[in-house]
Amino acid sequence: MTDRNVGSSGRRFSRELLQAISGDEVSCFTDLPVLAGDDVEDLKQILRGEEDPGILVDRKRAVNALARSESSSEAAEILEQILSNPGETIRVRSVAANDLSLMPSEAAEAALLRNADAESEVVRAEVFKSLGRVGTAKALEHLAALPEPKTEHARQQLSLARVAISFRSGAEGRGAQDANRALGVRWTTHAVRPVEGERLRKHVAALRGSTYGIGLNPETGFEISCGERATHLLFLNEAVRRGAFIESVRSGKMIAGLVGLLETAEQRVTIRYLVLTTPTERGLEVVVTRTNGDVAYVGEALPDGDGLRLTMRDVGLERTATEIEGRASNEDLQLSLRVWRGQAKPKRHGEPILV
């Protein structure tokens, strides 16, 4: 490639421009060129199809180069022409939709709304994403009237666009969005109930397997029902007693409790988790681990008035988002569990690369 390449019309194009848009320029180590002056004007003509530079053009790179080099109504018009052209590849049209968010907002919004019903779900998703960045209140009614996208990705981008515009513009009425509802935020809160007396002793008697070398408090425990079939029981270490809840757990490292699953049909309790507490300068570190050693929840308890405020959440790869909150004093222990009930996504795992 010479310093200035001659196109089919006899026009000369600079090396900088050709490197920015070439589909086979191996020496181009960056895909973020910024052009100026005549190069930008030449690039506009190439993207409109008015000039042929005489090389293989990577139109994705060319579109990106224009968007990085100039933000103008004219550039927005060129990007819209590419976005709305079914003869362009999905890849290039998607890039044009994305790059419209870098253009003057009024021109960009109008162009994006004219293409919000594009036949390609991939392109529509990029249109929605850009509208989330630049759309104003007038876009909400248009978006509210759109049919539901067919793919999850497009649906998510549409929901986020509606929320972002609604929150940014302070819109009211039709089109105004509630983030929790629009984005599928769903939590279920379960109260952890105290168990005492004969009921607790019955649960202790139903335990099968090891108690990890600790005696269990026969006076105070807790239970939580997660659905009709699953009941979990928190058994406290016998050293953790009412009247000295905080003093006992801050006396040193300990297995402060065990969590068991009540199998209703067999009236049997099997231990599933260990509750490990470590005193800190201000409060407690708390780790809940499964019996196979996998850590399930971590958190801390920090001073709160005359007691400690506990906050914990789930950790690890295989999990359902869960938060545990509560407050402890020497006389009382209150806990609640919040479990995510939104749509779960399948876990993906990496695959080895063979060379």
Side-chain angles (χ1 to χ4, degrees), residues 203-223:
H203 290 325
V204 172
L207 265 172
R208 299 293 182 269
S210 172
T211 61
Y212 288 83
I214 66 171
L216 302 181
N217 184 328
E219 299 174 354
T220 304
F222 299 86
E223 70 177 13

Side-chain angles (χ1 to χ4, degrees), residues 183-194:
L183 299 178
V185 177
R186 295 176 53 212
W187 291 91
T188 300
T189 301
H190 304 272
V192 180
R193 301 180 298 273

Side-chain angles (χ1 to χ4, degrees), residues 45-63:
Q45 291 186 328
I46 291 170
L47 287 172
R48 290 192 185 105
E50 297 170 356
E51 284 286 351
D52 181 354
I55 65 167
L56 175 65
V57 174
D58 184 330
R59 288 184 66 80
K60 172 181 177 291
R61 296 186 66 229
V63 167

Side-chain angles (χ1 to χ4, degrees), residues 217-236:
N217 184 328
E219 299 174 354
T220 304
F222 299 86
E223 70 177 13
I224 177 169
S225 296
C226 301
E228 297 180 358
R229 300 181 179 180
T231 298
H232 285 86
L233 304 163
L234 170 60
F235 300 99
L236 299 177

Side-chain angles (χ1 to χ4, degrees), residues 225-296:
S225 296
C226 301
E228 297 180 358
R229 300 181 179 180
T231 298
H232 285 86
L233 304 163
L234 170 60
F235 300 99
L236 299 177
N237 188 315
E238 63 181 353
V240 182
R241 290 179 175 267
R242 190 178 299 278
F245 280 147
I246 296 178
E247 293 175 5
S248 57
V249 292
R250 282 184 51 80
S251 64
K253 296 180 180 180
M254 69 164 58
I255 301 176
L258 302 173
V259 178
L261 175 66
L262 173 62
E263 300 174 53
T264 307
E266 295 81 9
Q267 284 301 300
R268 177 178 62 194
V269 178
T270 56
I271 299 300
R272 296 296 181 90
Y273 302 92
L274 287 72
V275 181
L276 310 175
T277 57
T278 303
T280 63
E281 184 176 341
R282 298 185 61 203
L284 286 173
E285 289 182 354
V286 185
V287 175
V288 178
T289 177
R290 296 182 177 88
T291 56
N292 65 359
D294 288 343
V295 176

Side-chain angles (χ1 to χ4, degrees), residues 116-224:
D117 58 352
E119 77 291 348
S120 166
E121 291 288 293
V122 175
V123 173
R124 290 185 76 201
E126 293 301 319
V127 169
F128 299 149
K129 182 187 294 185
S130 283
L131 280 169
R133 297 167 180 164
V134 302
T136 62
K138 69 180 182 181
L140 283 178
E141 186 168 347
H142 188 115
L143 293 179
L146 289 177
E148 188 75 1
K150 298 176 183 178
T151 66
E152 180 186 0
H153 178 61
R155 287 193 295 270
Q156 287 181 328
Q157 291 299 331
L158 176 57
S159 295
L160 179 57
R162 289 168 173 167
V163 169
I165 296 170
S166 181
F167 277 51
R168 183 169 59 243
S169 65
E172 302 289 344
R174 187 182 182 191
Q177 297 289 302
D178 173 82
N180 287 357
R181 178 179 299 177
L183 299 178
V185 177
R186 295 176 53 212
W187 291 91
T188 300
T189 301
H190 304 272
V192 180
R193 301 180 298 273
V195 182
E196 300 176 332
E198 182 60 29
R199 181 176 176 85
L200 175 60
R201 289 189 286 274
K202 181 180 178 181
H203 290 325
V204 172
L207 265 172
R208 299 293 182 269
S210 172
T211 61
Y212 288 83
I214 66 171
L216 302 181
N217 184 328
E219 299 174 354
T220 304
F222 299 86
E223 70 177 13
I224 177 169

